[in-house]
Amino acid sequence: MQNQRPVPTPSSVATCRRGRRTAVRALATVLLVPALPLSAQARMALATAINRTARFRALSQRTAKVYGQLYLNVGAARARDALEHTRRQVHSGFEDMDRQSWPPEVARLLAEVRRNADRLDALTAQAPTKEGFQAVSAQADQMLAAANTTTEALERLAQAPTARLVNTAGRQRMLSQRLAKNYELLAAGLDSRTVREQMAGDADEFQRALAQLNKAPISTPAIRSALELGQAQWVFFEAALKRQPDPRGLENVATTSERLLEVTDSLTSLYEVALQDVLG
């Protein structure tokens, strides 16, 4: 993995900004519906908001994943750092959202996400046990459901097909973390038909979404590079998931899921910027 290309970041977009603007603005008249009842600034803020609420989905599952690592003693020191980092990301995400005024329905949905996030945070403050891991996983799924509903509401508010790309790329982050969390549930003896079926479905969805993003009309050199890297990282992650959930398998899944999260987070940010160009 040392020879892999560096992960594209939002800053890399600046190096090809002229090409990106040409690509997205050429499609703007096709992608935009008639005038939105929002100011240009408010519409552009939606791109960031969709990314933020979509990220809450991934953070919910990452929280459960790293808590599971603590219970299973998989890189405990690294897992503690990851849990604290995830808490900070959740907190800063809500701060970002609070800077904007949202329609009452969106505000209500965001409040529900926050309530679920607070419950999840309280559970992870307890010493990790098998029962605790199960409870954290269940609460993480509640936060995920609330964040998903909010993300879809914001996507509808944006009224631009490009918003679906931000949502889809953002969902890839969540799938990487839920797959890893469910793998840990198997290792913890919390196996069930539901968990295995969800893992199979998530793996299929991840690959389908990659294909959809590759075919999307909005693309830039940075986006194409991130998609190629995401495909390569998926190969490593998928191979790790196929191992038995033994100590080595758990370590591989923990490592590759973090790498895939990094790549898909960068990809989502690139789509966010592209959406801002269309909406701005």
Side-chain angles (χ1 to χ4, degrees), residues 27-38 43 46 155-163 275 278-279:
L27 289 162
T29 56
V30 176
L31 294 172
L32 285 175
V33 296
L36 304 179
L38 297 169
R43 296 202 309 268
L46 278 173
E155 181 190 328
R156 289 192 296 272
L157 193 60
Q159 298 183 36
T162 314
L275 178 57
V278 170
L279 295 178

Side-chain angles (χ1 to χ4, degrees), residues 218-239:
I218 291 290
S219 186
T220 67
I223 286 174
R224 288 192 294 273
S225 180
L227 285 169
E228 290 172 4
L229 189 53
Q231 181 62 60
Q233 290 300 322
W234 168 253
V235 172
F236 290 116
F237 184 48
E238 185 181 34

Side-chain angles (χ1 to χ4, degrees), residues 19 29 55 57 103 143 168 171 189 197 244 265:
T29 56
R55 182 177 285 145
R57 297 182 302 199
M143 179 180 171
T168 300
R171 187 169 172 81
E197 288 180 346
Q244 289 298 314
D265 188 49

Side-chain angles (χ1 to χ4, degrees), residues 5-16 20 47 51-52 54-55 58 89 165-174 176-177 206 210 213 220-230 233 257-276:
R5 291 179 297 178
V7 178
T9 65
S11 62
S12 68
V13 179
T15 64
C16 58
R20 187 193 65 242
N51 191 356
R52 293 293 180 274
R55 182 177 285 145
Q89 284 185 300
L165 300 179
V166 182
N167 189 351
T168 300
R171 187 169 172 81
Q172 297 289 76
R173 296 177 295 199
M174 181 280 290
S176 73
Q177 300 306 287
F206 191 96
L210 269 183
L213 292 171
T220 67
I223 286 174
R224 288 192 294 273
S225 180
L227 285 169
E228 290 172 4
L229 189 53
Q233 290 300 322
S257 67
E258 286 292 294
R259 179 63 171 165
L260 191 55
L261 174 63
E262 181 184 359
V263 174
T264 51
D265 188 49
S266 175
L267 177 64
T268 309
S269 294
L270 291 169
Y271 278 120
E272 175 194 331
V273 174
L275 178 57
Q276 287 176 337

Side-chain angles (χ1 to χ4, degrees), residues 2-73:
Q2 294 179 346
N3 294 325
Q4 292 170 358
R5 291 179 297 178
V7 178
T9 65
S11 62
S12 68
V13 179
T15 64
C16 58
R17 190 165 184 80
R18 183 177 301 172
R20 187 193 65 242
R21 282 190 176 277
T22 300
V24 297
R25 291 192 185 281
L27 289 162
T29 56
V30 176
L31 294 172
L32 285 175
V33 296
L36 304 179
L38 297 169
S39 68
Q41 182 178 4
R43 296 202 309 268
M44 289 179 69
L46 278 173
T48 298
I50 292 168
N51 191 356
R52 293 293 180 274
T53 56
R55 182 177 285 145
F56 286 141
R57 297 182 302 199
L59 294 176
S60 72
Q61 299 303 297
R62 189 185 190 220
T63 296
K65 182 194 75 172
V66 295
Y67 187 85
Q69 287 175 221
L70 288 173
Y71 168 64
L72 295 165
N73 196 29

